[in-house]
Amino acid sequence: MALDSILIINKSGGLIYHRNFEDPRQPAKESDISKMNSNDYLILASTLHGVFAIATQLTPTAVQLKANSSASGSDASAREMDSVKSEEYSTVSSISNSSIASATGGAGGVSNTAKVPGPGALGPNKAAANILNQGHRHLGSVSSGKKDGNNGRAQISNLTPYIPYVGMPHNNIASGGNSSANSPMDMGSFKGDDFFKEPFVSWNTSGIRHMSTDQFTMFIYQTMTGLKFVAIKNNQVVGSPSSNTTDIVGGIHLADNLLRKVYCLYSDYVMKDPFYSLEMPIKSTTFDEKLQQMIQNMNW
Amino acid sequence: MSRSQSISSQSKSLKITGEEIWKNKVEKVNSELFNLTYGSIVSQLCIDYKRDFKKVNEQLFSMGYNIGIRLIEDFLARTALPRCDTMLRTSEVISKCAFKVFLNITPTVTNWSQSQDTFSLLIDENPLSDFVELPMDAVNQLWYSNILCGVLKGALEMVQLDCDVWFISDILRGDPQTELRIKLNKVLKDEIPIGED
C-alpha cells in the first residue's frame, strides 16, 4: 500500500474529508505530508479547486482545432474524435471492446484489442482474466499512443476501463470472482463482489486528473455533482514501482477505478447518514473503516 | 432516420443497463416493508397537520427533495452515466434506469410538449400506493406519492437541471392513470462543474 491520503472536496471548494494512511512497510517514519495540519489541508483543497478551474481554461490549440474540425468530420482523426464524443452520450454497457479500441486510437493496440471477444461470451472466471488482460493491453496501447502525442488527451479523458477488484479483498481474484468463497467485504447497498463491472466514462474531461512530482503522485476524480475525490500516492515507498511515463495512464485508470469506489462508499455511508448535513465535513466512523479496508486491499 | 435510430438504440442499451444494475448490483428488500413504512409516514403527517392536506403535500415534497439531493449521488456512483445532452435522454434515464434501480418499475414517457422540455411519466404500478385507499376528505387534495416529485426535483437540481415536478392525476383519486409531469425550467449552466466539456 502506497497510498498516502484521500481527500474529498465539495463543489464549492471546501475540504470535507481528509485522511492519511499509515504504511505498514514504513512504520513510524514522519513523511512530509503528515506534518501538515488541518488548516493546511483546507488551503490545499481550495487551491486545488482553483488550479483545477484554471486548468480547464487552458487548452492546447491543437486540441481546440481538433474539436472544431471534428464538427465537420472531415479527416480520419476528426472522426476518431467524433466517435469519442458520441461515446459520451452512449451508455456504459454499450461501450464494447471495439469502442475501447477506437478510444485508445493507438495504431498498434487497435487490432489486438478488437479481436478480444466480449466478456459476456465467456464464463465468469475466464471473463475476469480476460478483462484483466484486455485492461493491460489497453493501457499498453494508450501509453504507446501517447508517445506520438497527437490524441493523448482524448484517450485519457473519456473512457476508463474497468480494472477488476481494485481495492477489493484479494481472495476474490484468486477464486476468479467466485462470490461463494468467503467474501469479507460488506458492500453496503451494493450487491456482488465488486461495486461495478463495466468500463465507465469519466466526467472530468478538461480538468486536472493527474499531478506528478518526485515525491508523490496525485489523482483527481470529479463527479457530475461537482464533488472531487483526490488520492495522493507516495512514490517513495520501498518496493513500489517507481512512476515512469509509461504507466501514467495506467495509474490514472487505476486511480479512477479506486476513486469511483470511494464515491460508492460515500454515496452509501455519507449520503445515507441522516445526521450528515450536505457540504459539511464528514465525521463518519463507518465510512472511515470502509475506506481504510479498501485502501488496505489496494495493492498499488 | 439515423437520428431516431440512434436514439432508439441508445434507449435500448439504457434499458439493459438499468436492468443489469438492478439485477446484479443492488441489494434488495421486501417492497412491502418499503411501502408500509411510507404509508405510516403519510398517515402520521396527516395526523400531525390535522388533515390539512395541502401542508401534507408540501411536507412530502420537501422530504422528497431532501432525499433526492442525496440519492443522486447513489445513482451516479452506481451507474456512472454521462451527462444527458437533451431532455429526451434525461427522460429515458429517469424511466429506464433511475426508477428501475430504486423502485423496480419502468414508467412510460409520454405527452411531450412542443418544445421538448416537458414530459409525463405514466406510473402504472406505483409501489408506494399498494394497499392504499384515500379517505373521503383526502381524495381531492392529497397527492399520496408526492414524495416522488420532491425526489425528482432534488435529484435533477443536483445535476444542474432546474425542473418543476408535479402530479396531474393519480389512480388513488379515481383517475384512469397516475401521471407525473416534469418541466425543465432551465439548465443551470453556471453551476455545471468546471472540467466537463
Side-chain angles (χ1 to χ4, degrees):
Chain A
M1 183 184 70
L3 203 67
D4 253 353
S5 312
I6 293 273
L7 286 80
I8 305 177
I9 304 171
N10 68 16
K11 60 181 167 193
S12 34
L15 183 73
I16 54 171
Y17 185 83
H18 96 259
R19 174 109 192 257
N20 293 337
F21 299 95
E22 305 277 318
D23 194 315
R25 281 178 287 185
Q26 277 198 321
K29 193 207 161 223
E30 285 250 323
S31 62
D32 289 335
I33 206 155
S34 62
K35 283 179 197 146
M36 285 169 62
N37 63 31
S38 47
N39 200 35
D40 294 334
Y41 273 104
L42 277 172
I43 295 167
L44 173 72
S46 50
T47 310
L48 261 183
H49 188 77
V51 173
F52 189 93
I54 294 167
T56 60
Q57 299 301 311
L58 305 172
T59 310
T61 321
V63 178
Q64 289 172 12
L65 289 175
K66 203 167 213 179
N68 289 338
S69 69
S70 82
S72 63
S74 52
D75 61 324
S77 65
R79 252 178 279 127
E80 187 182 299
M81 189 78 176
D82 231 15
S83 77
V84 174
K85 270 261 156 63
S86 69
E87 230 161 58
E88 265 186 328
Y89 302 122
S90 64
T91 59
V92 174
S93 75
S94 72
I95 294 165
S96 60
N97 291 324
S98 58
S99 57
I100 290 176
S102 77
T104 60
V110 175
S111 56
N112 275 346
T113 326
K115 276 176 197 155
V116 179
L122 299 159
N125 295 2
K126 272 187 179 171
N130 186 32
I131 294 170
L132 197 63
N133 287 337
Q134 186 192 330
H136 282 309
R137 218 174 293 173
H138 172 49
L139 302 188
S141 66
V142 169
S143 45
S144 66
K146 205 174 180 278
K147 272 175 202 150
D148 52 51
N150 282 325
N151 36 24
R153 185 187 156 92
Q155 292 159 10
I156 301 171
S157 50
N158 279 294
L159 194 80
T160 307
Y162 164 64
I163 302 173
Y165 305 115
V166 175
M168 304 310 285
H170 293 300
N171 61 337
N172 276 351
I173 298 172
S175 61
N178 187 356
S179 57
S180 65
N182 56 333
S183 50
M185 183 98 178
D186 176 18
M187 302 283 292
S189 71
F190 291 78
K191 206 179 141 193
D193 52 3
D194 204 351
F195 288 93
F196 51 89
K197 301 239 164 149
E198 307 280 349
F200 55 98
V201 179
S202 175
W203 290 303
N204 175 5
T205 48
S206 61
I208 297 179
R209 296 185 66 177
H210 168 259
M211 204 189 287
S212 191
T213 75
D214 53 351
Q215 302 276 323
F216 66 86
T217 315
M218 180 185 276
F219 301 96
I220 303 181
Y221 176 83
Q222 182 174 256
T223 73
M224 208 202 281
T225 51
L227 211 61
K228 286 186 190 65
F229 291 84
V230 182
I232 301 171
K233 172 180 173 279
N234 194 340
N235 290 343
Q236 307 230 302
V237 173
V238 190
S240 88
S242 65
S243 83
N244 53 50
T245 44
T246 51
D247 63 25
I248 284 178
V249 178
I252 292 175
H253 288 156
L254 202 58
D256 269 3
N257 270 264
L258 175 74
L259 291 175
R260 184 174 161 200
K261 284 173 188 177
V262 179
Y263 184 34
C264 290
L265 289 181
Y266 170 89
S267 77
D268 254 7
Y269 296 102
V270 180
M271 285 296 106
K272 290 171 190 171
D273 174 7
F275 296 106
Y276 173 74
S277 14
L278 288 179
E279 312 264 297
M280 295 305 281
I282 299 165
K283 294 190 175 81
S284 160
T285 44
T286 358
F287 180 65
D288 269 348
E289 283 162 18
K290 298 285 169 189
L291 191 59
Q292 173 86 49
Q293 213 177 334
M294 193 174 273
I295 302 303
Q296 262 167 5
N297 290 331
M298 178 91 185
N299 192 11
W300 204 305
Chain B
M1 186 201 78
S2 68
R3 184 181 152 81
S4 68
Q5 231 171 24
S6 78
I7 284 174
S8 74
S9 76
Q10 272 179 13
S11 58
K12 194 183 171 198
S13 59
L14 265 182
K15 190 167 187 243
I16 293 166
T17 311
E19 271 168 9
E20 268 174 8
I21 290 173
W22 176 78
K23 207 169 153 195
N24 303 321
K25 293 277 134 234
V26 185
E27 282 293 345
K28 318 289 189 301
V29 294
N30 190 335
S31 75
E32 266 178 41
L33 175 69
F34 171 68
N35 110 41
L36 295 178
T37 311
Y38 183 67
S40 62
I41 290 174
V42 178
S43 74
Q44 186 63 45
L45 281 177
C46 290
I47 295 167
D48 288 353
Y49 286 101
K50 302 196 170 56
R51 306 191 83 72
D52 182 343
F53 296 109
K54 270 214 176 79
K55 278 196 181 146
V56 176
N57 287 340
E58 278 169 26
Q59 187 60 30
L60 285 172
F61 188 90
S62 90
M63 285 165 68
Y65 179 85
N66 288 322
I67 294 174
I69 57 179
R70 290 163 176 252
L71 199 63
I72 186 68
E73 307 284 4
D74 185 280
F75 180 70
L76 291 175
R78 243 178 243 287
T79 60
L81 285 171
R83 185 174 288 280
C84 297
D85 49 348
T86 61
M87 228 19 208
L88 212 62
R89 175 88 174 145
T90 309
S91 70
E92 300 282 325
V93 170
I94 291 173
S95 74
K96 298 208 168 71
C97 289
F99 270 91
K100 180 71 190 172
V101 167
F102 294 116
L103 293 177
N104 190 21
I105 54 171
T106 310
T108 318
V109 180
T110 176
N111 291 351
W112 280 96
S113 70
Q114 201 85 61
S115 49
Q116 303 272 302
D117 61 355
T118 310
F119 62 93
S120 290
L121 291 173
L122 295 185
I123 305 172
D124 301 328
E125 301 167 58
N126 184 353
L128 290 176
S129 58
D130 291 344
F131 320 125
V132 180
E133 280 179 48
L134 293 184
M136 288 300 282
D137 56 343
V139 156
N140 287 316
Q141 297 176 65
L142 179 66
W143 293 114
Y144 183 80
S145 306
N146 211 33
I147 201 163
L148 290 182
C149 297
V151 172
L152 284 165
K153 160 97 182 160
L156 288 168
E157 197 170 294
M158 294 306 276
V159 288
Q160 295 82 37
L161 299 172
D162 178 20
C163 296
D164 282 336
V165 188
W166 69 98
F167 272 107
I168 55 175
S169 65
D170 191 343
I171 290 176
L172 290 180
R173 290 183 165 210
D175 298 318
Q177 60 195 8
T178 303
E179 183 171 350
L180 194 155
R181 198 124 179 97
I182 301 181
K183 176 178 185 293
L184 175 73
N185 291 329
K186 66 170 177 186
V187 181
L188 305 166
K189 286 225 169 65
D190 297 343
E191 288 171 33
I192 289 182
I194 36 185
E196 281 185 38
D197 283 332

